[in-house]
Amino acid sequence: MAEIVLDNVVKRYPDGALAVDNFNLEIADGEFIILVGPSGCGKSTTLNMVAGLEDITQGELRIDGQVVNDKAPKDRDIAMVFQSYALYPHMTVGENMGFPLKLAKVDKSTIQKKVHEAAEMLELTQHLDRKPSNLSGGQRQRVAMGRAIVRQPKAFLMDEPLSNLDAKLRVQMRTQVSRIQKTLGTTTLYVTHDQTEAMTLGDRVVVMRGGIVQQIGSPQHLYDHPANLFVAGFIGSPSMNFVPGRLEGDGIVSALGEARLPDRIRQALERGNGSRDVILGVRPEDFEDARINGDKPGGRFSAPIDVVESMGSDLYAYFTLRGDVASSAELDDLAKDTGNDLHTDGTAMTARLDPTARIRQGDNVELWYNTDKLHIFDAESGRNLVGGDSQSAANAGTGR
Amino acid sequence: MSTQADLSRPAGGGHDADEEAVAIARKRASEGKKAEAKLGMMLCAPAALVMVAVMAYPIAYAFWLSLFRADLRTPDQNEFVGLSNYVTVLSSPIWWTAFGVTAFITVVSVILELVLGMLLAIVMHRTIIGRGLVRTSALVPYAIVTVVAAFSWRFAWSQDLGWLAGSSAPLTDRWSSIAIIILAEVWKTVPFMALLLMAGLALVPEDLHKAAAMDGGSAWQRFWMITVPLVMPSILVAVLFRTLDAFRVFDNIFVLTSGANETSSVSMVAYNNLIRGLNLGIGSTMSVLIFITIAIIAVVFTKLFGAAAPGSDEGGRR
Amino acid sequence: MQNETGKSKLMWLVIDLIVLLYAFIPVFWIISLSLKDSATLNDGNYFPRSITFESYQQIFANNDFTRALINSIGICLIATFIALLLGTFAAYAVARLQFPGKKIIVGMSLMVSMFPQIALVTPLFRIETAVGIFDTWLGLIIPYITFAMPLAIYTLSAFFREIPWELEKAAKMDGATPFQAFRQVIAPLAMPGVFTTAILVFISCWNDFLFALSLTSTSAARTVPAAMSYFQGATTFEKPTGPIAAAAVVITIPIVIFVLLFQRRIVAGLTSGAVKG
């Protein structure tokens, strides 16, 4: 087990392309860290640099205080789980799992013992003599995990280990990964593009975009206090709704009507000297049917509902706001990542409502939104003007 | 520790740092590249050396020889004669007859092979019973030594001896001999052709056939409008290689007719001049002419159809 | 529907049968000839009326034939081994590395595979006579290696491209040195491809006739296909049909069995080299 420190780590390619810029992170012993971001954001490159599969252009990588920039992967004592699992097709499950130990010249009986322990933990005991090609996707994934576990390395590196599984299995394996990591207490660096995995697995989450770290913090902190538009849009599903707006006096004017801002937010805005043009962020669950919430303080507006989805516990209402669309490079990036780059006139919005809301498709409904939970971003820089980290650094820093 | 979202910070912490990092990355990459290039060349050197030593030098030597009168039966009369050997060969009816025979055999057998090969490929690809058996037995002609197969056909068409000949003697007549030579060539190479085409067929997604069927295409239309265009690269490669191969036909003719009744191919005539006649000057001239012809076929083929030769592009076009 | 599949099954059965007949008729014919006795040899029947192994006894008693058989086996094995060794190096480089001469080596092997062998006969004959390797094993091994090289390079590089090289990374992460990663992970995965290529290369050497005919003059290095065309009957008037047939069977059956055993791999090898490129 180990403490891993990335100190101003930079990765540049010979053509000048910047893959990872000034990456700083201290991973505590036993911590579960998630690197998340859209494809091409540099998260896998970062992982490969820690693994030793790619060299570090500048900066230092320290494991337990020792600089390992120039050490070969085999001398770093780190295990890795690959997206494709990279199981050796000519070896049985048992041989696959025992391979690292065999390379380390561990005696046979110890290898057997350790492989069996790991197999038991992963429920692979009855498959030990089979070849990987005869296993299901989920079983292969577990073998890959087993191969990492048996050698009791200082740290696990996982490169999108669940992305080749179907949705149901992925959820199952997610909890299993989490359980194994908690049981073994091994420092883990986990790469994914799936924000749900990031939210559910990590002690702390590192959000990356274009090789630059956007924010580091606990999942809840990222959810409540996103540092900028990108993090706000990336974390959370369904994602946050964005509407362009203008600060006017004590309130804010946008397609969501005019609303008075609560004192907390106003004070925060006064501290920052941001411009008056902003982007409003509202999480789907911060909407409610205005009839249910009565005269609770908050904003009100009405909109024609396009589609209603009843999920039993919740009710999702989709509607479109006419008028200007919030635009920024960060939001464009997000749209590209989700493949949702259709440009319609108007902003597609999602509201998660109480199931008792009596709303039907086509209705023109009055909706309420919680101004206390509003996120306000600078339209220019995308920075969070209110709930950002300046206020809650202490809270996030505890991480674990 | 928790906030790093300051986007106004210039990427990489300043211009100098950027350039330094790029320089480091470049240096490492060029070192890696150099090592890789060195290893690559070292690994290829032995193979390249053998090919150059056994091909390039001798072909140059053959060209050199073709400029001389070099008859081993009259070694004291050898002298430089310029291009007169070429004049001799190119004005010789024997050469042109052989050239005609070779061209005829090549064209007819490649066409037959393509048709039969496509049929066999479809059978191997689509058959619902005994697929393994069919594929396995289709390999038999490929595995058999050409000379052995040629003997089998020769005996089969020999008067009295053969089960196909009866009391006739087709190998004593020119056109029936050529037909049998073509038969022997086609029999041996159809399976090879079929295998190449089958690999192409396997690349045509089954869904495409289903979609075309849903769109109202008949089986025949589907074959011509879906299968053939998609298998075209495989077809072109197979045809090019078989054409070049057929043009070199030698073994079958040697065994079946020994070139009797004007059934010699160009390789056969060259062989007779070189080894039987020991006339190295004329033989080498023919060798060079065959080499040039093959090169022309290859170039024309690639230019006309853009047939990509195997291995010519790196892993693309899968 | 039941009837329909029954019908199509029957149709495929007939088609399959045609393919089988196509493939085996000349083969059974030569076997049948080799088993006929001298009285019925010329009866023109496809199947022998009575079976005798006289022809086989005859050829195995013949020193020229046994010598040719040894030559064939020895020369082809050595040529295959060397071609494979050099081909593996080159194919690895072509499949895995970026280097300046790559296009040249690929183009060169392409040229060799299109080369008319006859064009090499004279120069090789002259050179080999001059160097003193005419009519020796070496004299045949050298051209065999050369002409087998493109086949070896294409087929092997196609196989090498299929190897999941990510496993090399996995092995590194599992604590392997580069050599261990090669020895324990990559080499076992490459073996089937190498083996298949070996069969293909061996078959192509085994099949050669022109060089065996032109670059030998005695039984010192003459291989079976060439030796067969020199077979003499007991008297000048007797045609050596029986012995030729027997010799043909002897050099055919082992290869056919081999091919049948490794059918799947050979199909993969033959097609991968040519089409996937």
Side-chain angles (χ1 to χ4, degrees), chain A residues 21 47 76 196 235 274 287 306 313 364 373 379:
Chain A
D21 195 11
L47 192 76
R76 295 189 186 189
T196 319
I235 300 288
F287 286 105
D306 299 330
S313 60
N364 204 7
K373 293 269 183 79

Side-chain angles (χ1 to χ4, degrees), chain B residues 55-181:
Chain B
M55 310 288 301
Y57 175 63
I59 193 67
Y61 187 61
F63 181 70
W64 177 248
L65 269 180
S66 72
L67 302 176
F68 284 81
R69 176 183 299 141
D71 193 327
L72 289 186
R73 290 166 302 184
T74 54
D76 44 328
Q77 288 175 20
N78 293 351
E79 56 171 343
F80 183 79
V81 293
L83 292 175
S84 87
N85 281 332
Y86 289 88
V87 175
T88 312
V89 171
L90 290 175
S91 58
S92 138
I94 298 177
W95 167 259
W96 287 112
T97 307
F99 196 90
V101 168
T102 313
F104 181 77
I105 292 176
T106 303
V107 170
V108 175
S109 52
V110 170
I111 291 172
L112 285 176
E113 283 161 19
L114 185 59
V115 174
L116 294 175
M118 185 55 101
L119 282 176
L120 181 57
I122 292 172
V123 170
M124 292 196 292
H125 188 58
R126 296 234 159 244
T127 186
I128 46 176
I129 43 174
R131 182 176 294 184
L133 183 70
V134 170
R135 288 187 185 186
T136 307
S137 42
L139 276 178
V140 167
Y142 161 78
I144 284 181
V145 175
T146 315
V147 173
V148 167
F151 270 114
S152 177
W153 292 116
R154 184 175 119 184
F155 294 147
W157 293 103
S158 290
Q159 196 172 12
D160 297 331
L161 173 75
W163 63 285
L164 289 170
S167 56
S168 66
L171 286 169
T172 57
D173 171 74
R174 188 180 184 205
W175 286 104
S176 54
S177 295
I178 290 178
I180 293 171
I181 292 168

Side-chain angles (χ1 to χ4, degrees), chain A residues 51 53 73-74 78-80 82 84 86-91 99-100 102-103 105 147 151 157, chain C residues 164 166-178 180-181 183-189:
Chain A
L53 295 173
K74 74 182 183 66
I78 284 177
M80 185 154 170
F82 291 83
S84 67
L87 301 180
Y88 308 118
H90 57 298
M91 301 182 194
F99 188 64
K102 192 176 136 202
L103 288 173
K105 303 214 162 56
R147 193 170 64 189
R151 51 187 281 211
L157 305 180
Chain C
E166 194 185 17
L167 293 180
E168 214 174 38
K169 275 194 212 164
K172 271 187 197 166
M173 291 310 299
D174 283 342
T177 61
Q180 280 172 323
R183 207 22 227 48
Q184 305 201 31
V185 175
I186 298 304
L189 293 174

Side-chain angles (χ1 to χ4, degrees), chain A residues 12 14 21 56 204 213-214 216, chain B residues 2 4-5 12 18 26 28:
Chain A
R12 252 186 202 277
D21 195 11
I56 295 169
R204 277 192 299 159
V213 171
Q214 304 293 305
I216 301 176
Chain B
S2 62
Q4 296 213 354
D18 279 7
R26 285 224 179 104
R28 283 199 198 136

